[in-house]
Every structure is written in structure tokens, then in C-alpha cells.
Amino acid sequence: KGNINYIFYPTPRIKIRELTIKNDSNTKTLAFIKEAHVKLSIKNLLAKEQHKFVQINLKNFDINLNFKDIKEYNNIFKSSADFLPINFLGGNIILFDGKDYIATVSDAVLNTIIRKDSINQKLKGNFINDNLYINLQNKKIDGKKISNLIIKMSGLNLLIKANYFNSTEKKDLISGNAFIKKDKNKISAIFDYIDNEFIINKLNINNNFIDGKANGKITLFPY
């Protein structure tokens, strides 16, 4: 909606103001960015037909993230084999469950690099008055999708680590292991996930009072 300008300093780039991103049906606003910078390669800069974009920086943004539309977001990433590095700098990620507001990650910085066989994402921000850090790495190795997830909340002294992969035999089956540490409380688990259900194959719990094991099932609310 705003002006589009070309600037040379500190590096060559196209600057776009008041950028709105919507879904394919043009009915939902996925994000609003007050200022977007598309960086250009300095190589062949004077030849317009050879311009090459190298990075996108989105500043002062609001992202509307609805958990019921997760599959729709995944389809966006699947639509292209190679994305430019995208940096979201200084904005808000607003979380919804359908029409219900959940929470906001404020002062957020999100870095995303998407390649043919990998997605790397890092998020820093303020969540429920605490410092939040999330690092998610997805890779495809021999047709198998392998993910590594780290979540930290410094105020809560909370650490979550998970490694999981998609089964090559069952399309919707995810298997992996997870580790959760809160103060002196530690939980480690080996799990399977399918049809909105966690199957805990092995779980260890350890703190000053308990050193035990468990297994079972956890059913999530189906979307």
C-alpha cells in the first residue's frame, strides 16, 4: 500500500512500505509489514535484466499465526524448492486457535533460511513476560524428514530438546525422542505421534523426590 523506493546505502536494496501478505483466497491477512527491504546483489547491478535478490528483511511486523491453518502454512513452504533468506525484525507474532486469541510473542526476531532439502528457523522474543528462544532445523536425508527442536525460556529456567523424523512406511507417523528440564526436574521420552495422539513408548522422570519410569498415550484436540 505504501511507496516503493530504491536505495543504495548501506547496500543496494528495494524498500517497500506497508506490505500486506494474504493467503491464496485473499480472505485472511497472514502478515502486515510496515517496512520491507529486498537486498540486491552488487554483481551486475547496472544490468536490470540480471538483478539478483539475495535477502529479504521485514521490519516492524504483525504475523497472524492460527494453529488451525498450520497445514496451509506448510503448503506455502512446499510450493517452492528454494526461498531467499528471510529475516523478521522487531515485530509481533500473534497466536490464535481458530477465532480465539491465545498469546503474543512481542519484540520478535525470526530468521528463516529455506532450501530444497532443509529449513532452518530461529526465533527470539518476549513471551508471557519471559525471554523465548526457539531453534528449529528440518532436513531431508534419503527421503526421510529429520527435525531438531530447541526451546528455551530463561525466566522459567526451562529447556526442551526434541529430535524426530517422519516414517517412510506410514505417511502420518512421526517418531522421536524428547528431553525436558525445568530447574532440577528432568523428563526424557521416546515417542510416536499419529492421528493427534502421542504414544509414549518409554518415559523417565527424575528429580529430588522421584526416579521413575512410565508409558502411555496422550490424545490432543483434533483439528
Side-chain angles (χ1 to χ4, degrees):
K1 294 182 180 179
N3 296 327
I4 299 176
N5 305 104
Y6 170 79
I7 56 176
F8 189 77
Y9 180 83
T11 57
R13 63 189 67 192
I14 298 169
K15 184 166 70 173
I16 306 166
R17 295 186 183 275
E18 297 185 22
L19 174 64
T20 300
I21 301 173
K22 295 193 174 186
N23 62 353
D24 288 341
S25 59
N26 206 35
T27 57
K28 297 178 182 177
T29 298
L30 303 179
F32 174 77
I33 299 101
K34 286 191 176 179
E35 190 172 299
H37 288 198
V38 183
K39 291 188 176 182
L40 300 171
S41 171
I42 201 165
K43 185 178 179 180
N44 298 321
L45 190 60
L46 298 179
K48 187 173 72 171
E49 65 279 1
Q50 297 184 41
H51 280 181
K52 183 179 179 181
F53 301 146
V54 295
Q55 189 179 77
I56 299 175
N57 290 339
L58 306 175
K59 300 180 179 181
N60 201 344
F61 61 87
D62 287 320
I63 295 176
N64 298 311
L65 182 60
N66 197 318
F67 289 114
K68 288 192 174 182
D69 295 331
I70 290 297
K71 289 184 179 179
E72 183 177 325
Y73 304 145
N74 289 336
N75 290 336
I76 295 174
F77 293 130
K78 290 177 182 178
S79 65
S80 177
D82 197 7
F83 276 73
L84 293 176
I86 302 174
N87 301 313
F88 292 85
L89 307 171
N92 300 306
I93 301 176
I94 307 165
L95 308 176
F96 293 91
D97 182 9
K99 294 182 179 180
D100 298 326
Y101 167 78
I102 300 175
T104 297
V105 180
S106 58
D107 299 322
V109 176
L110 174 62
N111 307 118
T112 301
I113 298 177
I114 302 173
R115 293 290 181 257
K116 182 179 180 180
D117 293 320
S118 68
I119 300 177
N120 294 326
Q121 294 177 301
K122 290 183 181 180
L123 170 66
K124 294 180 180 180
N126 185 284
F127 181 65
I128 55 175
N129 297 319
D130 200 349
N131 293 322
L132 173 67
Y133 171 81
I134 299 176
N135 187 350
L136 176 62
Q137 297 180 339
N138 293 318
K139 293 182 179 179
K140 243 183 207 181
I141 300 176
D142 296 330
K144 181 186 290 187
K145 182 180 176 183
I146 300 174
S147 302
N148 296 307
L149 173 67
I150 297 175
I151 300 175
K152 295 180 182 179
M153 296 184 72
S154 57
L156 288 176
N157 196 20
L158 175 66
L159 170 66
I160 300 173
K161 290 184 177 181
N163 303 291
Y164 50 95
F165 59 90
N166 291 82
S167 171
T168 54
E169 298 176 358
K170 294 184 179 181
K171 181 179 178 181
D172 297 325
L173 176 64
I174 298 173
S175 301
N177 59 78
F179 173 77
I180 302 173
K181 182 176 181 291
K182 170 69 172 74
D183 299 324
K184 295 184 179 180
N185 303 291
K186 298 177 182 178
I187 299 174
S188 59
I190 299 173
F191 66 88
D192 293 318
Y193 175 79
I194 189 169
D195 296 333
N196 296 298
E197 189 173 68
F198 276 101
I199 302 168
I200 308 301
N201 301 309
K202 184 179 179 180
L203 186 142
N204 295 321
I205 304 174
N206 180 269
N207 57 32
N208 291 336
F209 306 101
I210 300 173
D211 187 3
K213 301 180 185 296
N215 57 48
K217 295 182 180 181
I218 301 173
T219 302
L220 303 180
F221 182 81
Y223 287 124

